[in-house]
Amino acid sequence: MPAALVTGGGRGIGRAVAIRLARDGFDVAIGYRSDAEAAASAAAEIEAAGAAAVAFGADVADAHAAATLVGSAEEALGPLDAVILNAGITRDGLAVRMSAEDFSAVVDTNLTGAFHVARPALRGMLRRRRGSIVAVSSVVGLTGNVGQANYAAAKAGLIGLVRSLAREAGGRGVRVNAVAPGYVATDMTAVLSDEQRGAILGATPLGRLGEPDDVADACAFLCSAAASFMTGSVLAVDGGLAMGA
Ligand code: NAP
């Protein structure tokens, strides 16, 4: 069976991606930061779908922990064919009031953390001349957003990272892409006020929030043979919110 690693795979979008990849025939390693219970329940759901599953706690902002995560996943499941760089956090606030710590924490997890996981995974993929990496960026990385200078900078940075890795790895047949979800119903967006939610729905042509499965479908597509001529692309999964950005 091919093997996949999904960071932040215990909850929200990552969980949906992990389960979807299992249904597509991947054995799946889940990375989580602190919610071991959620990761274990995602692993149980993957096993129920007939695939092997393992879960490892690792803070992706820590380069050593991220490399250990990739090593542990490969030791348990074999060489990784797909890696989903999904772990992410928010620490919102207007830029003029944002602390340097809140800016760095979001960049360290959402952008540098993705690099920490991608680097060791890519080494093996380049040697084997196959593999697919998908980073979970955001519409906000394309458009910017009030109160999210840290998050938008990290998500825009992910697009630069993906396009650079795509150029470096393309010659070896390794593909690197991003998805840019709009607002998706997860713990991360559960904190939105009714007013914020109304504004988002009003600006979204399809008139609803995304579901984690919407993003999982796009990630699974990018990891599949159906996307074999796609690399360096940024697939919007946003109900039309950022059209044209
Ligand atoms: P979520 O429900 O809050 O889940 C975030 C996941 O990331 C959790 O599994 C968490 O682990 C993990 N994580 C956070 N920091 C980590 C760290 N330092 N090391 C390892 N894992 C870490 O969020 P979500 O909505 O599913 O978001 C998933 C991704 O999609 C994020 O990158 C987010 O920015 C992006 N995204 C979300 C939306 C949206 O509207 N929800 C839109 C666009 C993009 P624990 O379970 O252990 O806490």
Side-chain angles (χ1 to χ4, degrees):
M1 287 259 256
L5 167 65
V6 183
T7 66
R11 294 190 289 121
I13 290 171
R15 183 189 182 102
V17 174
I19 291 164
R20 171 63 202 266
L21 289 176
R23 293 196 176 121
D24 284 358
F26 286 85
D27 290 332
V28 184
I30 288 170
Y32 65 93
R33 181 187 46 187
S34 48
D35 195 340
E37 208 174 307
S41 105
E45 211 172 323
I46 288 166
E47 284 169 350
V54 284
F56 302 104
D59 180 350
V60 296
D62 175 336
H64 179 70
T68 302
L69 170 66
V70 171
S72 304
E74 296 205 314
E75 202 174 312
L77 302 179
L80 291 171
D81 300 281
V83 173
I84 313 298
L85 307 168
N86 165 77
I89 58 168
T90 52
R91 283 203 192 173
D92 295 354
L94 292 175
V96 289
R97 290 204 284 268
M98 184 178 285
S99 68
E101 195 210 345
D102 280 352
F103 189 89
S104 299
V106 169
V107 172
D108 289 351
T109 294
N110 298 14
L111 176 57
T112 315
F115 172 69
H116 288 158
V117 175
R119 182 173 52 177
L122 195 57
R123 284 197 192 110
M125 289 179 173
L126 292 174
R127 264 198 316 275
R128 294 187 296 276
R129 294 181 170 269
R130 67 165 203 276
S132 172
I133 296 176
V134 179
V136 181
S137 178
S138 166
V139 282
V140 164
L142 302 169
T143 62
N145 197 22
V146 171
Q148 291 199 303
N150 49 1
Y151 186 80
K155 293 299 185 183
L158 268 183
I159 292 172
L161 175 68
V162 156
R163 290 189 161 149
S164 301
L165 299 184
R167 289 182 188 281
E168 291 183 14
R172 298 278 185 109
V174 176
R175 300 182 299 101
V176 189
N177 292 286
V179 292
Y183 290 84
V184 179
T186 68
D187 294 345
M188 189 176 271
T189 48
V191 296
L192 292 172
S193 67
D194 287 348
E195 194 188 348
Q196 287 171 315
R197 184 175 294 257
I200 290 161
L201 293 181
T204 303
L206 289 181
R208 65 169 176 90
L209 293 189
E211 294 297 329
D213 281 339
D214 293 320
V215 184
D217 285 343
C219 292
F221 164 68
L222 288 170
C223 292
S224 75
S228 60
F229 198 50
M230 292 181 71
T231 198
S233 67
V234 181
L235 205 53
V237 188
D238 64 357
L241 177 62
M243 225 186 301

